[in-house]
Each structure stands twice: as C-alpha cells, then as structure tokens.
Amino acid sequence: MIEKLRLTCDRLLSHRQLACCQSHFCIPLHGKDMIIYNSMDLELKPLLLTGHHSEISAMTFSSRSRPLLLCSASLDYIIVWDIEVCQKRSQEGKVAAGKVVGTLLGQVVHLSFCFSDERVAACSGVTVYILSSKRHEVISTLTGHLAPLTSAEFCPWNKDILVTTSEDRTFKVWNLNTETVCYQSFVLSAFPLLSLVFLEENRHLIFGSTDGQVWCFSLPDDHKCQLVTKMDLQKMDRRHQMHQETVSRQAESAEQSAVDKVETSKPVLKMALCSSFTDSTVQKKDSSWLCIGSSDGLYVVNLSTSELLTALYFRDDPKLSITMAGSWSISPGLDNSLLFLVSSLFTPCVVLLELHLCNLGRIGAADEGFSVFPSSPVLLESPLSAELRKKEPNHPKKKGEIKDQPLVFHLNVKSSGYTSAPRRTMFSPKTNLQKNPSSKKAHKNTGLLLRDYPADSTAPVIPHIHLSIANKPVHCLQYSGDGKQILCGLGDSSVLLYKSSLTRSPTVYTAGHDKPVSSVSWSLNRQWWLSAAEDHTLRVWTHGSPEPPIIMGDRKLSKPIRSAQFYYLDKFLLFASGPSLYLYLYNVDTKVDDIKRYQQRSFVKSVRCFTTTSATDITAMSAANDFLSYIVLVCGSDRSIQIFDMNRGTIASELADAHTRAAHCLTQNKGSTFSTQAPDSYNLFLTSAVTDGVKIWDLRTLRCVRRYDSHPNRCHPCGSAFSPCGRFIASGSEDNSAYVYDIRSSSYLHKLQKHSDTVLSVTFNPATPELLTGTLDGKLTLFQSSSGALLSHDTSAAVHSVPNMTG
C-alpha cells in the first residue's frame, strides 16, 4: 500500500464514518464543517463546506458520479450536497450550500445512498430512516432491532430491499414498500455486527462482526437467507502466517515470541469487493475477492475458497503514518487500484492509501502445477513399466510322437440323414410370425443405457426408490462403468451387488471380511471388482463366484486399508495402508481344478511401496483408471494433500494444511464413458473433512478454487462425488439430507431431505442422471432427474430376502 496523503486533524476521528469515492474524499473539520479533497489531484485547493451546527457524525458519497452527491449528518441536520454546484459557488466567492433532507433525527452513525441516489438510509439508535435525497421528507421509518443499528445498505438488484445490522448481533431484510421485515436472522455471534456488503453476481450478503467473524448468506427472491459459508479472520490469519513463515524465520521468531508477540482482535470495520488480476496486462475480473479493513491492516479474502490471499499489516510498512485503524472507507480508484481513507485509532490523523490490484494478482499467482494427462512417455525404470510374467507349464516332448488331431472342428456333427424318412413337403415361408415384445423391450432398455449422458439435464433430485438393505452403515457405493450394477460396502463386513434399477434382490458376498468394508472398486472391463476392509485385507472378486480368487493383506499389513482401486487401465492394484501406498501387478485365473481345488491359481506381484512424507498415515486416495494417468492423489493425517508421480516413483508436490482436519474423502472428476467434458475439467478433485466442508482443487495450479460448506458435517465421514457431466457436486450431511451444489456456486442448489439418518455415501450413475445415497442406518435412496423421472415408489416396508454368496 502507498500512502498518498496524511492529514492531521483537530480531534480524534476513530469510529466515525468517513466518505471516499473515486474522485474525492471528505473529512470533518473543527467538528461542524467538512473539507473535501480531490484524490486525483491533491494539489488542488480543497473545498470547504459549512452548514451544520452540531458535530458531524457520519458522511457518505452517492453511488453515481454524475452528479456527485455528498450526504452528511449531525444531531441537527442531515444535508445533501451537490459537489459540482458547491465548487462553482465557491469559485464565484459565494458560500456553498446544501439541501436539508432531515432534521433532529438523533445521533446518526451510518449513511448510505440507494443505487439510483434517490433515497438515503440513516441509522440512528434502533431506527433506520429512509429519506428523500431531493427534498425534506421522511419516506419511511423502520424499527425492529433490539439494540442500536450499525449499518444499513440498499440491495443493488432490488431497490425495494434494505438490509440492516445491529449491536443485537442480528441482521434484518426489509421490504420498503410494505415497511415489514422479510427475514430476520438468528444471533450470529457473541459480538455486534459492524458492516455488510452485497455480492451482486451471486446474490450474496456478507456480514462482519467485532470479533473478526465473516458470514456469507444467499439472498434469493423469496428472501429466505441461507448460510453459505463462515470465516474467522483470526484463524485465517494464523494459518496464512504459518504458510508464509520459513523454517529459519520460525526459529528466529520463537525466541522473540514471548517478548514482542501480541495478539490483537481483528474487527471487520469495512468490507468491499475488488477485482483480481493474474496479469497486469490481461485484466481478469474475479468478484469473489473481498477486501476487509481491520484495526491492524488490510486483508484480502477469496470468498470462493474461504482462504486468506494476503494480509497487509500497518506495522510491516515503516513508511505508513498509521499503526492502528479506527475506521475505513474503501472506493475503487483509477488504473486498477483501490483507495482507502483510514482514520487512526489513537491519534488525530487521517491517511489516504492506494493499492494497485495488479500487485494482488502477483501475490495470488501460483506456480505451474500438474496435469492428470501424461505429457511424456513412460520411463524405462518407471514402476509403470513393470510387467507380469505368467508361468507356463513345461511338459517334455517325446520324439516321434504324433498328437491326436480332430477329424472335425465342431462338437456336434450333423447326421447324413440316411436313416430318416424322405422329405415330402417343400419349404414354405412363415407369414404369420408374431414379434416378441419382451425382446424388443429389452433391446430398447439396452439402448437407453448406451446413449450419451445428457449434458443439459437437471440435477437428479426427485426421489424414485427408497430401499432398506440392512441395519448397518453404508460406507461406500460405486456404479459399474456401464451404470448397470452397483456395489455397496456395509458396516457388517458384507458387500451387496445390485442391479442399477434396485428392484431385484441383490447378491450378498459375506465369505470374506470380518470387519466393516471401507472401499469398493470396479475394474474397467467390469469382469472383476475388489473390496477392502478394516480387517487389513483386500479381496478381488469375480461374477458368480462365492470365493475371491485373490486375497491380499492380513498379516502383511499393520494398519487397515483406507482406500483401494484398480489403476492404469486395470494393469495394477493400488491401495493405501498406514503411511504406505502399495502398487501390485496381478493375474486373475478363474479356472477351477477339481483335484487341486484349494490351490489358488491367481497371484499378485509387488511392484513398489511408496511412503508419504513424514510417514503420515494416508486417510484417502484417488487415481484415474479410465484413462492413462501418472498422478495419484493421497490425503494424510497431517491435513496435507500429496501428489505422487507414479512414472518417476516420487512425491511431486505437497499441499500442507489443506483442511483444518484430516480429509476423509478424496474424489477426482473422472467423468464417464457416456459424457464428454473439457480436458481441463479432469484436473479438478474434491476433498472433504469433518467441520471444514468440501473443497474443490485444481491440479494445474495446486490451489483450492471453491469451498462448499452449507451442509453440516461435524462427526461422521460424509462422502462427496462429481456428476458425470461435471456440473454438479453431491455431498452427504448429518442433518439427514444430501446436498447438491452447482460447481460454479458455493451455495447449495438442492437439499434432498427425508433421509432416515446421516447420509454417508453418495454416487452418480455414469450412464443416466441418477444419484444414489446411503445412510448410517443402512438405507438406499435413488434420485432421478426431472426430465426422466418415473413415479416414486417406496420399498422400505420390507427388507429384501437375498441369497448369500458364502461358499
């Protein structure tokens, strides 16, 4: 930040609303007068305005620049000044005069113009007065708060909506036509609310409190506000400092921390939206960047990710004349800059600061990241180059032996017909052949599954089937690649195999695990599937077989398998246990020898074992199997995300402190064979953590690009998933609902209610717009899109009687 001007005042101006716009700024002089400076040319003589008989308590500029209006308030008057007219009168040697629009309205602490500049809102005590800016008229008087008001702002997209904040720690949404409250919030904090700002692009409301809490609410047309996200400026600043400090600096500051480190509160004095620029030559607007003026400096927050981009402290810049701020006024400046008019908290002075947004763009710029698609061939020494050599039986050949050769090449040989009676009737065509409707229907249904996924379909939110399968948690769900089958891993150590319609009884596999199933995965060719459980084992299954041909783990693994899957087009088995990531080659042989029935013909071969940095336990893992990819993503118990390059066999990068707690779910945007997305979309992945919501990350920049935390998740590991089209995100929650988000907005799109318990698992059908959810009490619910939804029917009255594949 650059200090453009410093003004010494005759009295303290902290906690007083000052006025600043793109071209001018205004401060009180001698208590009752005002002095206006031209911020574009500070050498010009300032304009003096007189007219109040009491000390000025608040002032603000109009929303429009032509004509530029200034509203000032004191105990006696509220006056609106036309700056251009006042300048002309001053140049002519006359006294500049304004228009009195309010009289004796009390101690006004906040003023704001509507976006047409026709009305002015004045906060005095527990009442907000709506005044006309053109004449002396009180349009309406709104009273309803239980404590003094702190701010009031007009809605930019609806001129008849006003939002107020108060020291009673709530906000209200008012309808100015009816002078009634449309929405009244709950008590947000233990401290008063100080400021608010509108985010017009997403129709959001942002509030700030005295203790540094920031809330973002959606403001829909029905005015029923919903909480989108909540941020703590103190915690974000602490995490930001941990990221910025180096190891050497931490060692140096450790000795001084007990002496000179003082923790101060961070009240949200003023907020304003700003535009971010990743390059000084290319302007790229990002309206999700929020500037927060606090007592110790300026904070820039990314609302999409709820992360602090940068913090500019007064104490770190010796060129600044201010160390603690009492009030802020923020306005856009020229040449992609922001202007700040800041009053000192303890000294009678005011400074004008300027910040160029291109500097923020450089701060927010990230290094070049990675891509989920390979950019180079596989190295010769790469673990991915490993091959499995199958053992062939070596039978000794006898010399001169002539092998038996079949005389015919068919198992059945047609008779010559010599013993049959001679044919007496000639061939006649069948003209009364009836069509088989069942075969046509089956062919039609198959065609529906093989068509492209509708890219413009609505989110699947209509309940279609409710199914009770067990009284145990549904820990994991996965559709097969063709969308025809579903795997369900349960807390009772069993795995259910369903048809996608969920109308028939499933096949139950119980001859395997003896602890809850933690992961299930289909192979790309859909011939095999695997399951991993808390019993330290991994099992590969085939269709129709009650026993798995491959069993891995048990005594070889010291910790449970958290995640397992097929990898690299079904070439490898990939699973995580403890701090290790295991890569295995495998061969599945389903042939059965009746004599050597108990001899396992299938086998596996270890390729390599990878270990995370600092040997932290892996809590979640994901890799692409539908296409060739070298990237494997893992989440650690130290709250980090680590990126493995399997081609080189190393850890390519690490993101520290990705969540406030260890992530329990990691999901990549893998799409499906039925849909096509932009290539860059496949570089997105999701992580979920308890109490920290869902974050979406971009592998190319290694940064969080958006956060979704409207769903409550305080205890259980609720999962999340991408839709095949890449437009929606689904997440489980602990309020017996599933939430569907639009990937472009942090506020939820649909809340799927009426679940019987916490929703643990969610998954999308890769072939058709369907969403399947699994709950803590063992219930499945299938949701369909409105375009292809059928009549809902409930089958939860009876638990399916299913055949056990126990062997």
Side-chain angles (χ1 to χ4, degrees), residues 595-711:
I595 299 177
K596 301 179 180 180
R597 184 172 180 266
Y598 294 100
Q599 181 177 355
Q600 192 174 10
R601 302 172 62 92
S602 303
F603 61 93
V604 295
K605 177 184 177 183
S606 176
V607 177
R608 187 172 297 184
C609 176
F610 308 89
T611 305
T612 58
T613 58
S614 68
T616 179
D617 285 353
I618 297 175
T619 57
M621 180 202 70
S622 179
N625 185 43
D626 296 357
F627 50 87
L628 297 178
S629 176
Y630 303 154
I631 299 297
V632 175
L633 305 173
V634 299
C635 293
S637 58
D638 59 351
R639 309 190 307 276
S640 67
I641 299 176
Q642 300 183 24
I643 303 171
F644 283 83
D645 185 353
M646 305 302 285
N647 187 25
R648 301 182 181 275
T650 59
I651 298 177
S653 184
E654 180 180 2
L655 301 175
D657 295 325
H659 284 274
T660 57
R661 295 193 181 184
H664 58 261
C665 178
L666 176 61
T667 306
Q668 288 179 265
N669 183 20
K670 303 175 183 179
S672 76
T673 57
F674 298 87
S675 64
T676 302
Q677 301 182 30
D680 291 339
S681 300
Y682 295 95
N683 290 309
L684 302 177
F685 63 95
L686 293 174
T687 55
S688 303
V690 174
T691 72
D692 203 28
V694 176
K695 290 185 178 182
I696 183 170
W697 304 79
D698 193 337
L699 198 60
R700 297 166 296 174
T701 60
L702 299 180
R703 284 185 178 273
C704 175
V705 294
R706 192 167 291 278
R707 182 184 177 190
Y708 313 87
D709 59 353
S710 296
H711 57 283

Side-chain angles (χ1 to χ4, degrees), residues 476-478 486-489 494-497 509 513 517-533 537-543 548-552 561-567 570 572-576 582 584 586 588 604 621 625:
C476 45
L477 295 169
Q478 190 181 46
I486 306 168
L487 285 174
C488 304
S494 64
V495 179
L496 305 186
L497 179 59
Y509 294 84
H513 304 289
V517 178
S518 59
S519 179
V520 291
S521 176
W522 283 96
S523 65
L524 185 62
N525 57 16
R526 302 184 297 279
Q527 295 180 2
W528 314 301
W529 54 273
L530 63 81
S531 62
T537 63
L538 182 149
R539 300 169 188 265
V540 179
W541 306 78
T542 59
H543 285 288
I550 294 180
I551 302 176
M552 300 174 59
I561 299 176
R562 294 301 178 190
S563 183
Q565 68 168 81
F566 295 92
Y567 174 59
D570 290 347
F572 299 99
L573 293 176
L574 183 69
F575 62 93
Y582 296 91
Y584 275 81
Y586 68 99
V588 178
V604 295
M621 180 202 70
N625 185 43

Side-chain angles (χ1 to χ4, degrees), residues 59 124 210 219 235 248 259 264 533 653 668 700 766:
M59 58 186 70
S124 176
T210 309
L219 183 59
K235 293 182 179 179
S248 60
V259 180
T264 60
S653 184
Q668 288 179 265
R700 297 166 296 174

Side-chain angles (χ1 to χ4, degrees), residues 460-473:
V461 296
I462 299 178
H464 177 53
I465 293 178
H466 303 278
L467 190 64
S468 177
I469 57 176
N471 196 19
K472 295 293 181 179

Side-chain angles (χ1 to χ4, degrees), residues 178-232:
T178 60
E179 299 184 7
T180 57
V181 177
C182 300
Y183 177 82
Q184 178 177 349
S185 74
F186 52 88
V187 175
L188 299 183
S189 171
F191 296 86
L193 302 183
L194 289 182
S195 56
L196 73 98
V197 68
F198 286 90
L199 183 58
E200 186 175 2
E201 181 181 358
N202 296 329
R203 297 199 171 187
H204 286 172
L205 276 170
I206 306 169
F207 302 93
S209 66
T210 309
D211 61 338
Q213 303 290 326
V214 179
W215 295 265
C216 181
F217 283 83
S218 63
L219 183 59
D221 294 335
D222 58 0
H223 308 136
K224 295 181 180 179
C225 299
Q226 299 169 348
L227 180 63
V228 176
T229 186
K230 178 187 176 182
M231 296 167 281
D232 190 330

